[in-house]
Coordinates of all heavy atoms in Angstrom, one line a residue:
W179 N 6.3 -2.7 -18.6 CA 5.4 -1.8 -19.2 C 4.3 -1.2 -18.2 O 3.9 -0.1 -18.5 CB 4.6 -2.4 -20.4 CG 5.5 -2.7 -21.6 CD1 6.9 -2.5 -21.7 CD2 5.2 -3.4 -22.8 NE1 7.3 -3.0 -22.8 CE2 6.2 -3.4 -23.6 CE3 4.0 -3.8 -23.3 CZ2 6.3 -4.0 -24.9 CZ3 3.9 -4.4 -24.5 CH2 5.1 -4.6 -25.3
V180 N 4.1 -1.9 -17.2 CA 3.0 -1.5 -16.2 C 3.7 -0.9 -15.0 O 3.0 -0.6 -14.0 CB 2.0 -2.6 -15.8 CG1 1.2 -2.9 -17.1 CG2 2.7 -3.8 -15.3
I181 N 5.0 -0.7 -15.0 CA 5.7 -0.3 -13.8 C 5.3 1.1 -13.4 O 5.3 1.4 -12.1 CB 7.3 -0.2 -14.1 CG1 8.0 0.0 -12.8 CG2 7.6 0.8 -15.2 CD1 7.9 -1.0 -11.8
I182 N 4.7 2.0 -14.2 CA 4.3 3.3 -13.9 C 3.2 3.3 -12.7 O 3.1 4.3 -12.0 CB 3.9 4.2 -15.0 CG1 2.9 3.4 -15.9 CG2 5.2 4.7 -15.7 CD1 2.6 4.3 -17.1
I183 N 2.5 2.2 -12.7 CA 1.4 2.2 -11.6 C 2.0 2.1 -10.2 O 1.3 2.3 -9.2 CB 0.4 1.1 -11.8 CG1 1.0 -0.3 -11.6 CG2 -0.2 1.2 -13.2 CD1 -0.1 -1.5 -11.6
S184 N 3.3 1.7 -10.2 CA 4.0 1.5 -8.8 C 4.0 2.9 -8.0 O 3.8 2.8 -6.8 CB 5.4 1.0 -9.0 OG 5.4 -0.2 -9.6
I185 N 4.1 4.0 -8.7 CA 4.1 5.2 -8.0 C 2.8 5.6 -7.5 O 2.6 5.8 -6.2 CB 4.6 6.4 -9.0 CG1 6.0 6.0 -9.5 CG2 4.6 7.7 -8.2 CD1 7.1 5.9 -8.4
P186 N 1.7 5.7 -8.2 CA 0.3 6.0 -7.5 C -0.1 4.9 -6.5 O -0.6 5.2 -5.5 CB -0.6 6.1 -8.7 CG 0.1 5.4 -9.9 CD 1.5 5.6 -9.7
M187 N 0.3 3.6 -6.9 CA -0.1 2.6 -5.9 C 0.6 2.6 -4.6 O 0.1 2.3 -3.6 CB 0.1 1.3 -6.6 CG -0.9 0.9 -7.8 SD -2.5 0.4 -7.2 CE -2.3 -1.4 -7.2
A188 N 1.9 3.1 -4.7 CA 2.6 3.2 -3.4 C 1.9 4.2 -2.5 O 1.8 4.0 -1.3 CB 4.1 3.7 -3.7
I189 N 1.5 5.4 -3.1 CA 0.8 6.4 -2.2 C -0.5 5.9 -1.8 O -0.9 6.0 -0.6 CB 0.6 7.7 -3.1 CG1 1.9 8.2 -3.7 CG2 -0.2 8.7 -2.4 CD1 1.7 9.2 -4.8
V190 N -1.3 5.3 -2.7 CA -2.6 4.7 -2.2 C -2.4 3.6 -1.1 O -3.2 3.6 -0.1 CB -3.3 4.1 -3.4 CG1 -4.5 3.2 -3.0 CG2 -3.8 5.3 -4.4
A191 N -1.5 2.8 -1.3 CA -1.3 1.6 -0.5 C -0.8 2.0 0.9 O -1.3 1.6 2.0 CB -0.2 0.5 -1.0
F192 N 0.1 3.1 1.0 CA 0.6 3.5 2.3 C -0.5 4.3 3.0 O -0.7 4.2 4.2 CB 1.9 4.4 2.1 CG 2.6 4.7 3.4 CD1 3.1 3.7 4.1 CD2 2.6 6.0 3.9 CE1 3.7 4.0 5.3 CE2 3.3 6.2 5.0 CZ 3.8 5.2 5.8
N193 N -1.3 5.1 2.3 CA -2.4 5.8 3.0 C -3.4 4.8 3.5 O -3.9 5.0 4.6 CB -3.1 6.7 1.9 CG -2.4 8.1 1.8 OD1 -1.8 8.6 2.8 ND2 -2.3 8.6 0.6
H194 N -3.7 3.7 2.8 CA -4.6 2.7 3.3 C -3.9 2.0 4.6 O -4.7 1.7 5.5 CB -4.8 1.7 2.2 CG -5.6 0.5 2.8 ND1 -6.9 0.5 3.0 CD2 -5.2 -0.8 3.0 CE1 -7.4 -0.7 3.4 NE2 -6.3 -1.5 3.4
L195 N -2.7 1.7 4.5 CA -2.0 1.1 5.6 C -2.1 2.0 6.9 O -2.3 1.5 8.0 CB -0.5 0.9 5.2 CG 0.5 0.4 6.1 CD1 1.6 -0.3 5.4 CD2 1.2 1.5 7.1
L196 N -2.0 3.3 6.7 CA -2.0 4.2 7.9 C -3.4 4.2 8.6 O -3.4 4.4 9.8 CB -1.7 5.5 7.4 CG -0.3 5.8 7.0 CD1 -0.1 7.3 6.4 CD2 0.8 5.6 8.1
E197 N -4.5 3.9 7.8 CA -5.8 4.0 8.4 C -6.5 2.6 8.7 O -7.5 2.6 9.2 CB -6.7 4.7 7.4 CG -6.3 6.2 7.1 CD -6.3 7.0 8.3 OE1 -7.1 6.7 9.3 OE2 -5.6 8.1 8.3
N198 N -5.7 1.6 8.4 CA -6.3 0.3 8.6 C -5.3 -0.6 9.3 O -4.2 -1.1 8.8 CB -6.7 -0.4 7.2 CG -7.4 -1.7 7.3 OD1 -6.9 -2.6 7.9 ND2 -8.7 -1.6 6.8
A199 N -5.7 -0.9 10.6 CA -4.6 -1.6 11.5 C -4.4 -3.0 11.0 O -3.3 -3.5 11.1 CB -5.2 -1.5 12.9
K200 N -5.5 -3.6 10.6 CA -5.3 -5.1 10.2 C -4.4 -5.2 8.9 O -3.5 -6.0 8.9 CB -6.7 -5.7 9.8 CG -6.7 -7.1 9.5 CD -8.1 -7.7 9.3 CE -8.0 -9.2 9.0 NZ -9.4 -9.7 8.7
S201 N -4.7 -4.4 8.0 CA -3.8 -4.3 6.8 C -2.3 -4.0 7.2 O -1.5 -4.6 6.6 CB -4.3 -3.4 5.7 OG -5.6 -3.9 5.1
R202 N -2.2 -3.0 8.1 CA -0.8 -2.5 8.5 C -0.1 -3.7 9.2 O 1.0 -3.8 8.8 CB -1.0 -1.4 9.4 CG 0.3 -0.7 9.8 CD 0.1 0.6 10.5 NE -0.7 0.4 11.8 CZ -1.9 1.1 12.0 NH1 -2.4 1.7 11.1 NH2 -2.5 0.9 13.2
K203 N -0.8 -4.5 9.9 CA -0.1 -5.6 10.7 C 0.4 -6.5 9.6 O 1.6 -7.1 9.7 CB -1.1 -6.2 11.6 CG -0.5 -7.4 12.4 CD -1.6 -8.1 13.2 CE -2.7 -8.7 12.5 NZ -3.6 -9.4 13.4
W204 N -0.5 -7.0 8.6 CA -0.1 -8.0 7.7 C 0.9 -7.5 6.7 O 1.8 -8.2 6.3 CB -1.4 -8.5 7.0 CG -2.1 -9.6 7.8 CD1 -3.2 -9.4 8.5 CD2 -1.6 -10.9 8.1 NE1 -3.5 -10.5 9.1 CE2 -2.6 -11.5 8.9 CE3 -0.5 -11.6 7.7 CZ2 -2.5 -12.8 9.3 CZ3 -0.4 -12.9 8.1 CH2 -1.4 -13.5 9.0
M205 N 0.8 -6.2 6.3 CA 1.7 -5.7 5.3 C 3.1 -5.6 6.0 O 4.2 -5.8 5.4 CB 1.3 -4.4 4.8 CG 0.1 -4.3 3.9 SD -0.6 -2.8 3.4 CE 0.6 -2.3 2.1
Y206 N 3.1 -5.3 7.2 CA 4.5 -5.3 8.0 C 5.1 -6.7 8.1 O 6.3 -6.8 7.8 CB 4.2 -4.8 9.4 CG 5.5 -4.6 10.3 CD1 6.4 -3.6 10.0 CD2 5.7 -5.6 11.3 CE1 7.5 -3.5 10.8 CE2 6.9 -5.5 12.0 CZ 7.8 -4.4 11.8 OH 8.9 -4.4 12.5

């Protein structure tokens, strides 16, 4: 039922990843 948040969250999370080296490293 909450799957629809995956779309906006994917955009938000990837933009954050691009600007934050520490998060990018751990997410990778």
